[in-house]
Amino acid sequence: MNLTPEQMAAAQKANLETLSGLTNQALQSIEKLVELNMHIAKQSLSDSMSNARKAMEVKDIQQLLTHQAETVKPMAEKMMAYSRHLYELAHETQASFTKSAEKEFQASQQKINSLVEGWTKNAPAGSEAAVQAMKQAIASANHVFETSQKAVKHAVEIAQNNLSNATDNAIKAASSMSKPKK
């Protein structure tokens, strides 16, 4: 099979557009991560200053213990919220990359099918077995891709459920710790 210069240029242009799209997606994710971290840094500084002011107003050990207990739950909740935001960002990025990969895979699949059809029409007599073997190999590759996509989606769902459960458990634990003992 010989590719014409126009076909090669079109393939290179398509690859460049794909690379540009993936790079933009990655940069958008990085930008969101930086924004999240800046927000958390500002909020943490503000919370630390507020807690320090409250701690300086403490007059006895009971007030100190109460103050410490009151700061544990919000801190744990914020850590869980941050983890949840990170997970959502990673999931969003992964979904975006997966969508791009699926789109590219489908386009490649169509090109390969067109090539195989072209070869089939121009194939010499007696090459039906080779053509059939090639079609079977393509079908097997498609099946492997679809199966792996389903497995990845299932793993993401499990991870999301585990994160939700861990978040709920951590918040419950923090809530029980923040209640001052008498």
Side-chain angles (χ1 to χ4, degrees):
M1 172 185 130
N2 293 330
L3 292 176
T4 65
E6 292 83 15
Q7 290 173 322
M8 291 178 66
Q12 289 176 342
K13 181 179 176 185
N15 289 340
L16 184 60
E17 289 175 7
T18 299
L19 177 62
S20 176
L22 292 174
T23 302
N24 283 334
Q25 290 173 5
L27 289 174
Q28 288 172 356
S29 295
I30 291 169
E31 184 178 16
K32 288 177 183 178
L33 179 62
V34 168
E35 287 173 4
L36 175 64
N37 285 335
M38 287 300 296
H39 174 75
I40 294 297
K42 289 176 183 177
Q43 188 177 23
S44 294
L45 180 61
S46 174
D47 290 348
S48 294
M49 291 295 121
S50 175
N51 288 334
R53 284 185 197 100
K54 288 179 184 176
M56 296 184 98
E57 295 172 1
V58 168
K59 295 189 179 20
D60 62 22
I61 192 74
Q62 186 60 37
Q63 284 182 335
L64 178 63
L65 294 174
T66 302
H67 170 69
Q68 286 178 335
E70 289 172 351
T71 60
V72 170
K73 182 180 177 185
M75 194 178 346
E77 288 173 348
K78 288 175 185 173
M79 288 175 19
M80 288 297 114
Y82 178 74
S83 296
R84 208 173 312 123
H85 285 298
L86 283 179
Y87 175 79
E88 288 169 2
L89 179 60
H91 179 68
E92 179 182 303
T93 302
Q94 180 267 337
S96 179
F97 275 53
T98 299
K99 185 177 179 181
S100 295
E102 287 173 349
K103 181 180 172 186
E104 287 301 312
F105 182 77
Q106 289 172 352
S108 296
Q109 185 180 10
Q110 289 175 348
K111 289 176 187 176
I112 289 172
N113 287 339
S114 295
L115 286 173
V116 169
E117 289 303 317
W119 291 338
T120 302
K121 292 177 184 175
N122 299 324
S127 61
E128 292 83 14
V131 169
Q132 189 59 34
M134 187 178 300
K135 286 183 178 182
Q136 184 61 37
I138 291 169
S140 295
N142 291 341
H143 179 70
V144 167
F145 179 77
E146 290 170 4
T147 302
S148 66
Q149 285 299 104
K150 288 178 184 176
V152 167
K153 287 177 183 176
H154 182 69
V156 167
E157 288 173 7
I158 290 172
Q160 195 168 16
N161 289 337
N162 287 344
L163 179 65
S164 294
N165 291 338
T167 300
D168 293 342
N169 290 337
I171 289 172
K172 286 176 187 174
S175 293
S176 67
M177 287 176 34
S178 68
K179 295 177 184 171
K181 296 180 181 177
K182 294 182 180 180

